[in-house]
Amino acid sequence: MIDLNQVSLALRNASTSRSIIILDEFGKGTISSDGAGLFAGVIKYLLSLGDACPFVFAATHFHEVLTPSILPPSSPISFIHMSVMITTREGEMLEDNREEAQEDRQRIRPGEAVTYLF
């Protein structure tokens, strides 16, 4: 509910071409289809503002929204994908298929480093 209130406030007060809106995982904590629908609806509304659309940074795990049928390729949107690489202290890449990774993907072991690739 807090996310909805914050996005509602941003849409009512920060929807100018001189504004910046950051949507970080908006719709999380909902049923996937509901969250994806909320996220897509907000993005489509912002796009409908045309030249008055604020600059928007959006991070999402709703990959189904990033399809041509929902957000057309002609939209003025830049998509950036991020991957994570985990390495040892010596710089060797750790494979994601190691047993420990399968059991606990959230844990970074001592001596391992995380690099975000854009």
Side-chain angles (χ1 to χ4, degrees):
M1 188 61 104
I2 292 172
D3 282 354
L4 285 173
N5 288 333
Q6 290 174 338
V7 169
S8 174
L9 181 67
L11 294 178
R12 282 184 279 130
N13 298 307
S15 292
T16 72
S17 61
R18 298 183 56 164
S19 303
I20 295 175
I21 294 178
I22 300 172
L23 299 172
D24 184 21
E25 294 294 341
F26 174 63
K28 68 179 182 280
T30 64
I31 297 171
S32 275
S33 58
D34 292 347
L38 287 168
F39 179 77
V42 168
I43 297 298
K44 284 185 170 189
Y45 169 76
L46 289 166
L47 288 170
S48 75
L49 297 175
D51 291 338
C53 183
F55 194 82
V56 179
F57 288 99
T60 186
H61 63 280
F62 297 122
H63 298 262
E64 61 271 21
V65 171
L66 309 176
T67 61
S69 61
I70 296 176
L71 293 175
S74 60
S75 301
I77 298 176
S78 298
F79 296 104
I80 300 172
H81 178 78
M82 184 176 75
S83 297
V84 177
M85 178 177 65
I86 301 175
T87 58
T88 64
R89 188 173 286 149
E90 292 77 32
E92 298 172 17
M93 275 187 25
L94 294 175
E95 298 297 325
D96 199 23
N97 60 1
R98 62 189 173 118
E99 285 183 32
E100 299 91 338
Q102 295 297 329
E103 294 172 11
D104 188 2
R105 292 176 182 250
Q106 300 296 321
R107 176 182 275 172
I108 303 299
R109 310 263 186 258
E112 296 176 350
V114 177
T115 304
Y116 296 98
L117 308 170
F118 297 96

